[in-house]
Amino acid sequence: MKNVDIYKQYFSAECTFNGVERHGAVVWLNAESDSGMIRYEVGVSFFPHQNAEDFAISYDACALKELIRTQGRRSKKKDEQCLNQMQAAANEIAESLKGTIHWDKPLMEAQYA
């Protein structure tokens, strides 16, 4: 099984989960291939982010959404298709956790594979 982090970025965010206020979110797009199958998923994890150096990720305010599961392998075309769907999927995840991602306030540069 091969797992590739296609995209990852940290943003300012708002969410209260399990009684803890969270002011940051990490959003990622991951591709996993195995035995001729490819699967892409988007993930969001809200974390406290109490100060500029606090990137301690807490995994209780985290959820995933599968975008594609099909036969084949990873391709630039599939990567682009998923990257184009990623923000909408991440917003759905954030909403399900009663949170908001501030896309216009990144906490660091995007990381691409």
Side-chain angles (χ1 to χ4, degrees):
M1 181 180 311
K2 185 171 182 179
N3 211 341
V4 177
D5 293 325
I6 309 253
Y7 166 90
K8 183 177 182 181
Q9 191 167 12
Y10 295 79
F11 294 92
S12 173
E14 297 304 320
C15 181
T16 300
F17 196 86
N18 285 339
V20 178
E21 288 187 23
R22 287 116 197 290
H23 303 286
V26 58
V27 178
W28 67 90
L29 173 64
N30 182 274
E32 182 181 282
S33 62
D34 188 29
S35 303
M37 294 293 291
I38 184 75
R39 182 173 74 91
Y40 286 83
E41 71 182 4
V42 172
V44 175
S45 182
F46 288 96
F47 59 98
H49 195 59
Q50 300 298 331
N51 59 55
E53 285 79 39
D54 180 15
F55 287 90
I57 304 301
S58 52
Y59 292 98
D60 62 340
C62 179
L64 303 169
K65 179 175 178 155
E66 187 173 88
L67 296 180
I68 293 177
R69 179 187 295 261
T70 188
Q71 287 187 336
R73 55 186 171 180
R74 182 177 168 210
S75 69
K76 287 184 180 188
K77 183 178 176 181
K78 287 178 188 153
D79 285 4
E80 282 183 42
Q81 179 184 358
C82 290
L83 281 167
N84 289 335
Q85 297 175 28
M86 186 193 61
Q87 189 170 346
N91 283 335
E92 287 178 28
I93 294 168
E95 197 173 293
S96 75
L97 295 170
K98 304 211 181 341
T100 304
I101 301 166
H102 303 296
W103 297 102
D104 59 335
K105 297 178 183 175
L107 298 174
M108 62 176 49
E109 294 293 319
Q111 302 167 353
Y112 293 93

